[in-house]
Each structure stands twice: as structure tokens, then as C-alpha cells.
Amino acid sequence: MQSLTIPRPDDWHLHLRDGTMLQTTVPASATVFHRAIVMPNLVPPVTTVNAALEYRARIMEEVPEGVSFNPLMALYLTAETTPGQVAEAAANDHIIGFKLYPSGATTNSAAGVKSVDALGPVLAAMQEHGVPLLVHGEVTDSDIDIFDRERVFIERHLIPITERFPELKLVLEHITTADAVEFVKNANNNVAATMTPQHLLMNRNDLLVGGIRPHNYCLPILKRRTHQQALQQAALSGSPKFFLGTDSAPHVQASKETACGCAGCYSAPAAIELYAEFFSRHNGLDKLENFASGYGADFYQLPRNTETIELVQQQWTVADTVDTATGPMVPYWAGSTLDWKLKR
């Protein structure tokens, strides 16, 4: 049986939700990943250091005994965020950066930013203090096609931001287009991107052909195959600008399978195996280690993990559902086979 040992990976983009959902989501990620950047789009959003530390404490209560897990908290960037809050965040090791959600772009983003142009003083403070900006890069204008929202956001906002603040560390999260790949590749070394398993393994045919498949619905939405191929080539290139961020986003089955289904793929139960599946399919397993366990830590100027995990080449089937205190969830890849399995 073929096996692969790599340093324990990190998840640089993760949704855990809150309340009783943490009983399910925290163990699923903590037993695999050593660190994770936890997204702040709760209701109400996590906008202050104190709120983030309280949220972190609730997460830590659900970490299984004997497991080492370090949740790094992102703060929700709003029009009310001040340079003083940036300085406060910079002084706390548990806070990793600020997340920019355009208002209305995704789940629980109503409190997000309506005017990126008005963020100048806050972005200047982030550049000064070395605090990363984590970006959901989509415009929300009603006249912009949903498949073009990432490209337009890059053109309107990200290129001007990187020109105005060249020392600002910026991560374009869960990229989905060839446009995003080119932007990150051509930007300075302070710019990087995370990639999800669903955007590497699927395109919009997997969402729409043969009927709408709500458990493959995420935002940014899956794009056409040519964009998927551009992402795949970037991941396989070995460039340190691209690294793992699952964007695992739990929603109970009843919320996904409804007339207005929630956006998000809950990939945590098979996250590292899904990435191994992608790299294996493309004869690139030698690239998995840096993608999953190296480049993200390097970008955030954190030490690489010394603990290891082992993946074995063994077929297994992802569970049809995952039980939670609020009802069953259907995980990403549910009922389908993967060729690599984490040895636990």
C-alpha cells in the first residue's frame, strides 16, 4: 500500500460557525489541521479583539483532548473599523488579520463593506502594522453577471489597492478564475491566494448539469472548465503564492436543500484527502506538502509544523451525512469514493 507522510497541514480559510455546531465542526478540523484561520461572519459578526477572543475560547472548549489546535482569528472589516482597532489586533498573537466581505457577497455578509474606496486609513494602518487583509473578492452590483464578479472586483478594487499599498499583505481567498490566478501571479510577493477543494475538483457543470446540486453550491460560484484548469495549473506549478484554504462552510441539510439554499461546501470531514485526490489525479503528489503544509505558514511568517500526518492509498466512501446537534449535514463529496485516506 502506497503512503505519503507530510508535515501536519494548516487550513488558512475555515468556517466553524458557533453554538452547538462547534461540537461537530471543531473536532473535524482540529484533528487534521494544526492551525486554521477562523472566519468572522457570525451573527452578529466578530468585529473586535474581545469578541474574537471570546469566540476562540468557545472553539477551544470543543478541541478533543490531546489534540493540538491553534485557531487564528480574523476580524470582520466594516465601515466602522478604525486604525486603532488595527493596532490592537496587531498586538494580539491570536488575531491574524481582517476579512473584507463586500456587503451581500456571501453568507452573513450584510454587515460587510459597501465602499472599498473608503477604507484608505484602515488599509494604511494594516500596511503599517503588518496586518494581512483577507479578501472575498466579488462585486455585488446587480448588473454584473455572477460569473464575472471576481474579475470585476480585481479590476475595480484589488489592482488599485495593491498599487496604493504595495507593502500590504493581501490574500485573495478561494479564487475561482483565470483572472484571479493572473492577478496573484503578477502582483508583488505580499499577495497570495487560497484554493478550495471544490474549485480544484469541479466546475459549473458539476453544479448545474443533470439538475441543480445544492451541496456543490458555494460562493464564489463554480466557474467554467477553463477557469478550473487555470486554478489547477497554478496549484500544480509549485508557486508559493497559492496554498490550502478549504473554505469549509457547514450548513444543515434542511438549509441547503430548500428553495433558497445556503452557499457553502462542508469539506472538513475529508479535506486533506480531497486535496490528495486532486494532486494524485494530476501526478502532482510531490506538490501537496508545500501547498498544504508550507507555503501558507511561510506567507504568514509562522513556523512550519514539525508534527506529521500519514495518507495511505486506500479507497473509501465519504459519509452520506454528518450528524449535528441541529440536524444532519451533507458533506462535500458525500457518498462518493476517494482514493486516499488519512491514517488516524
Side-chain angles (χ1 to χ4, degrees):
M1 180 185 297
Q2 186 178 355
S3 67
L4 176 68
T5 298
I6 63 172
R8 194 170 168 202
D10 300 302
D11 187 347
W12 300 106
H13 186 114
L14 177 64
H15 297 269
L16 292 172
R17 308 305 184 206
D18 205 356
T20 57
M21 183 67 80
L22 296 176
Q23 298 169 11
T24 301
T25 59
V26 172
S29 291
T31 53
V32 179
F33 297 100
H34 174 55
R35 292 170 291 216
I37 295 182
V38 180
M39 294 296 109
N41 57 329
L42 305 182
V43 181
V46 181
T47 59
T48 67
V49 169
N50 284 342
L53 296 180
E54 291 171 357
Y55 180 30
R56 187 178 189 276
R58 297 194 296 274
I59 292 168
M60 294 303 295
E61 289 177 358
E62 304 300 336
V63 176
E65 185 177 354
V67 171
S68 173
F69 181 59
N70 182 13
L72 301 167
M73 313 307 291
L75 299 185
Y76 196 114
L77 186 63
T78 74
E80 285 71 46
T81 303
T82 67
Q85 288 176 309
V86 173
E88 183 184 6
N92 194 300
D93 289 341
H94 294 313
I95 310 299
I96 195 71
F98 283 80
K99 181 65 186 287
L100 191 166
Y101 291 103
S103 181
T106 189
T107 302
N108 299 340
S109 62
V113 172
K114 292 183 171 65
S115 173
V116 176
D117 295 337
L119 296 175
V122 169
L123 297 183
M126 293 176 70
Q127 177 174 253
E128 177 186 354
H129 292 284
V131 176
L133 176 66
L134 317 178
V135 181
H136 182 117
E138 293 187 287
V139 296
T140 56
D141 309 53
S142 60
D143 61 329
I144 302 297
D145 190 287
I146 191 170
F147 293 102
D148 295 328
R149 289 180 173 183
E150 186 173 87
R151 174 183 60 79
V152 174
F153 189 93
I154 292 167
E155 294 171 353
R156 285 186 185 175
H157 302 299
L158 288 191
I159 291 174
I161 284 174
T162 55
E163 290 175 346
R164 185 178 176 188
F165 303 102
E167 300 304 314
L168 175 66
K169 292 186 77 68
L170 185 152
V171 179
L172 183 53
E173 303 284 10
H174 43 53
I175 62 171
T176 65
T177 60
D179 309 274
V181 169
E182 288 305 307
F183 164 73
V184 173
K185 284 170 57 178
N186 294 328
N188 63 53
N189 289 334
N190 292 313
V191 176
T194 57
M195 291 181 168
T196 74
Q198 62 265 27
H199 292 111
L200 289 169
L201 288 165
M202 288 184 172
N203 58 62
R204 64 190 187 185
N205 283 348
D206 298 289
L207 174 65
L208 299 170
V209 172
I212 295 174
R213 303 177 188 181
H215 299 287
N216 293 343
Y217 171 54
C218 57
L219 289 172
I221 200 165
L222 296 170
K223 303 299 194 296
R224 65 169 66 244
R225 179 169 173 75
T226 52
H227 289 297
Q228 178 195 13
Q229 290 172 327
L231 265 64
Q232 292 172 337
Q233 291 167 8
L236 293 163
S237 72
S239 167
K241 283 175 164 271
F242 303 98
F243 44 82
L244 185 154
T246 63
D247 194 21
S248 180
H251 296 282
V252 294
Q253 186 173 3
S255 296
K256 291 286 287 180
E257 299 175 7
T258 184
C260 185
C262 296
C265 297
Y266 181 52
S267 58
I272 194 62
E273 292 97 333
L274 287 160
Y275 285 107
E277 183 80 13
F278 161 71
F279 282 101
S280 179
R281 287 184 182 184
H282 295 272
N283 298 314
L285 272 175
D286 59 313
K287 301 295 196 301
L288 176 62
E289 177 175 330
N290 278 322
F291 180 87
S293 311
Y295 293 149
D298 296 345
F299 180 83
Y300 284 105
Q301 297 178 302
L302 295 169
R304 293 192 178 197
N305 299 323
T306 55
E307 187 181 354
T308 61
I309 63 167
E310 183 180 2
L311 291 155
V312 294
Q313 193 170 23
Q314 173 186 332
Q315 285 197 337
W316 66 289
T317 302
V318 179
D320 291 326
T321 60
V322 173
D323 291 330
T324 79
T326 53
M329 285 192 293
V330 177
Y332 180 62
W333 219 257
S336 297
T337 300
L338 290 169
D339 289 331
W340 288 86
K341 187 172 181 59
L342 179 64
K343 186 175 181 180
R344 296 181 181 271

